[in-house]
Amino acid sequence: SAVISQKPSRDICQRGTSLTIQCQVDSQVTMMFWYRQQPGQSLTLIATANQGSEATYESGFVIDKFPISRPNLTFSTLTVSNMSPEDSSIYLCSASSFTANEQYFGPGTRLTVT
Amino acid sequence: GENVEQHPSTLSVQEGDSAVIKCTYSDSASNYFPWYKQELGKRPQLIIDIRSNVGEKKDQRIAVTLNKTAKHFSLHITETQPEDSAVYFCAASGGQNFVFGPGTRLSVLP
């Protein structure tokens, strides 16, 4: 299974600012994904990070608010823009390999917006 | 789109007993069904999965069954231990994207 790391692990930000979260995988992967998990809730897919093209966003999430980059097969970033307290959540990246569906998750980034 | 329901939302069992969590899905095109365990403050971890060409899969104390006709699948944990206490999520996928169920909080009482 892939080993996935995320930076930062947590942050406290002021409203109106932006935060970029980095996700690094230790091997080349086909797909990378970004999820949001509110406390005590399930995982909600924000977008699929496509290498070499624009990310594919799920309903309710837009590029202006959550711009995503994926410059290569092992790295992706998610930016949470113009933050408000409602953006306080855990943001997780995941990745799946070339040969299988299995998704493996990073440790998450706990974001608090004040 | 796909919709995944999961029951129960909370489950308490005595150590050594069995636990069963059930999920239903709506999209008949879904063909991959993973289960994740998430301990407090930790990342979700894949514990077992099943594909639509298989009816049952077992890994030590954990098993998953799939009924494609009825569109439901279940996680079975036998001989539960305190370290099995966590939130368990099922998911369904017809391609690369997963749709997760709402989760089941399992408590194993000593």
Side-chain angles (χ1 to χ4, degrees), chain B residues 90-107:
Chain B
C90 63
S93 172
Q96 293 289 348
N97 288 11
F98 287 8
V99 175
F100 282 87
T104 296
R105 182 174 299 279
L106 173 65
S107 298

Side-chain angles (χ1 to χ4, degrees), chain B residues 13-19 58 60-62 76-84 108:
Chain B
V13 298
Q14 290 294 133
E15 184 177 354
D17 287 351
S18 296
K58 191 172 182 181
Q60 298 182 7
R61 296 186 297 108
I62 294 173
H76 305 252
I77 306 174
T78 59
E79 300 172 24
T80 53
Q81 301 167 3
E83 51 265 38
D84 294 328
V108 179

Side-chain angles (χ1 to χ4, degrees), chain A residues 37 42 96 101-103 105-106, chain B residues 36 38 43 51 95-96 101:
Chain A
Q37 186 175 31
S42 187
S96 66
N101 295 83
E102 295 95 343
Q103 282 189 29
F105 284 86
Chain B
Y36 287 83
Q38 188 175 32
R43 75 186 79 191
R51 300 179 192 277
Q96 293 289 348

Side-chain angles (χ1 to χ4, degrees), chain A residues 22-35:
Chain A
Q22 298 180 7
C23 180
Q24 179 74 55
V25 188
D26 70 340
S27 58
Q28 292 187 342
V29 290
T30 321
M31 311 290 285
M32 295 182 75
F33 305 89
W34 287 98
Y35 289 85

